Amino acid sequence: MLSDSTARDRTIARARLRFLENQDPPAPIVPESIRNSWQRSKYLGIRPDEVVVPYQPDYDRESRLVRAATPVLDRLERALAGSDACVIVTDRKGWVRDRRVGEKRLSAHLDRVHLAPGFNYAEQFVGTNGIGVALEERRPNVVLGTEHFNERLQSVSCAAAPIRNSVTGRVEGAMNLTCWNGPARNLMAALVQEAVGDIERVMYEFTSSHQRALLEAFQQVTHYGDRPVLCLGQDLVLANSAASAWLTGDDHRLLHEAAAESGHAPRVRTEVRLTGGQTVLMRCRQVDSSAGAAGYLLELAFPEHPGSGEDCPATGSRSRSRSRGERDASLPWPLPGLAGTDPAWNTVSRTASHCARERTPLLLHGEPGTGKTALARAAHALTGAASAPVVVDALAPHPPASDTTPGTGTDLPADLSDALRAAPAGPGRALVLRNIDAVPAGRAPAVARALDAAAAQGTWIVGIMGTLHHAAVVPEPVRRCFTEAAAVPALRHRLADLPALVDCLLRRVGADLECAPEVLPLLRRHDWPGNVRQLNHVLSRAAAGRRTYRIEPRDLPPSLHSTVGRSLSAWEASERDTLVQALLAADGNKLLAAQRLGISRTTIYRKMRAYGITLPPRR
């Protein structure tokens, strides 16, 4: 008679084979966490008969996780010597960082299936396994023999649990215990959780030591002045009010990366460009604790900080010192017809509003499609002006017919300087010169004279250029016409504004139009190289082709259902779009989509994985 465990293993094995052969969900006899993992593995197109995992030989062997785990692993290695058990530690992404094996036969087997340092055992590569499920579900689990999705792993059982930072609660990695199938497998979970607790206690001691060192260094520097100071540790950020008023969005990450590359020379000033486009001069010093390097102490100097004596990098002129209230980017600054409360967006909105009110010539830079012209129009409207700005393009210097002086008819000036002089001027007027970096060097003096003449009559002058990197190609006579500069952030740097932007753009299409809840996550993961202009185009087309009263995921273009970390060729993009359209038409049924495309279902899964394709839930 079969033992209970043997009978169970055979039952699970039969349930797995039935699940792989058809579209039905796994049988209820399979534990819920295993059922869920099987379905994720099948959806990802994981091979059930072959272990193919990425390899990364170069990694930090002195990381805090590895140093905290080493004494625990040393103790377990001595205790497990000669036994058919193995202990493994991975980082939070599933990369194996250390392995200790009790006997050679198990070690050879683990080498054959690449469960070794440098390899990745996340669920997305291997399918159902102890490490992958623990990291995916953020809780301890046991995967027994035939519960593994890949049949090459079914001769072993494993128990794993996530390793958490006791201060932040963030998962730092996972501890896994693997052994041959047998009676001992029922005791694995308790041993793993005990080892995890030991590692977490060591990590807490490291964290406490690091945080004490960072706090002491921060207090010593901030005690003697109010210059901007920032302390960056792995789990701690300390900033005084002078630094907090300036730093926005992803600035902490950018400064941390710059500090790691700077060499930590306290007398060297490094220039760092922040997410809003402005630059900061940084002095960096590494802070050490008894447990090793704790982080970095940064002393910052902003170009507009009083007493910094730095010039504005975009205009070459010294920027005005603004009041603390105007520099506070944490408060919303709404403009008519626009949306967003991101600190970088608030900063440029305040600057544009201030310049429009004071009639201060303003140079706006940023990526194409970020809304620079719309920002100028909104800031001008906020002043109560009755007329819209006249927009002149340096590449095609014809102002709109509605903006030219009465009686001009079709006799529009062809020369750029003539077009600028023909634009209406005076108090309450605004003149926007787009593509200012395209002004020919030979025409720059004439263009500058036209801009200065308009400004002298009370016209608000706004120049619009490409990115900040193109500032050097703006002819010097034209650049001197502007006394303020501001960067309009890219959409990918203000994704927190995405819901408000979507609502704002949809109101222009239809008053009662809305997006399904599943749409925003798809929009949020896109890079948006075309920025707000591209978002508006996507929403307009989705609204025009929608099937219901609201925009559903299936109404979005194929590219938004795919995430690929590289540029696709025209052929690859076409293949991806064809695949997504077929899947959407089949309501997510991979078998039906494969039949319609004339390919195998295995190819469908492989292509979905290659192109990072995700689909809305089946109806």
Side-chain angles (χ1 to χ4, degrees), residues 69 72-81 83-89 100 102 106 140-142 157-163 174-179 183-201:
V72 178
L73 293 176
D74 290 343
R75 174 171 54 81
L76 289 174
E77 185 177 29
R78 292 191 295 270
L80 298 175
S83 69
D84 61 349
C86 165
V87 285
I88 294 165
V89 167
R100 310 294 177 89
L106 179 59
N141 75 92
V142 177
S157 296
C158 53
I163 302 170
M175 162 70 78
N176 178 80
L177 175 63
T178 296
C179 65
R185 66 187 188 180
N186 297 322
L187 304 176
M188 294 190 300
L191 180 59
V192 164
Q193 294 199 54
E194 180 182 353
V196 165
D198 292 341
I199 294 174
E200 290 177 344
R201 280 189 289 274

Side-chain angles (χ1 to χ4, degrees), residues 193-246:
Q193 294 199 54
E194 180 182 353
V196 165
D198 292 341
I199 294 174
E200 290 177 344
R201 280 189 289 274
V202 177
M203 291 181 66
Y204 176 76
E205 293 173 2
F206 287 170
T207 300
S208 299
S209 175
H210 291 342
Q211 291 183 345
R212 287 193 299 270
L214 287 170
L215 181 58
E216 181 179 350
F218 180 76
Q219 289 175 333
Q220 288 177 350
V221 174
T222 56
H223 182 72
Y224 296 103
D226 60 352
R227 62 185 181 278
V229 176
L230 185 69
C231 252
L232 295 173
Q234 186 170 357
D235 304 303
L236 181 67
V237 175
L238 297 172
N240 62 356
S241 57
S244 298
W246 284 93

Side-chain angles (χ1 to χ4, degrees), residues 493-522:
H493 293 152
R494 47 179 297 220
L495 288 180
D497 285 343
L498 198 58
L501 280 170
V502 169
D503 290 343
C504 179
L505 295 173
L506 288 181
R507 282 197 297 271
R508 302 177 187 178
V509 179
D512 299 326
L513 194 58
E514 63 180 33
C515 285
E518 301 84 7
V519 169
L520 275 177
L522 292 175

Side-chain angles (χ1 to χ4, degrees), residues 241 243-249 251 278 323-334 340-350 496-497:
S241 57
S244 298
W246 284 93
L247 300 177
T248 63
D251 293 339
Q278 72 271 32
S323 66
R324 183 185 183 90
E326 284 185 301
R327 293 201 309 268
D328 187 0
S330 63
L331 299 176
W333 190 267
T341 57
D342 178 84
W345 176 256
N346 289 339
T347 298
V348 70
S349 298
R350 276 183 169 81
D497 285 343

Side-chain angles (χ1 to χ4, degrees), residues 527-542:
D527 286 340
W528 299 110
N531 294 293
V532 179
R533 182 188 300 147
Q534 182 187 6
L535 175 63
N536 182 53
H537 178 70
V538 165
L539 293 174
S540 298
R541 293 196 61 180

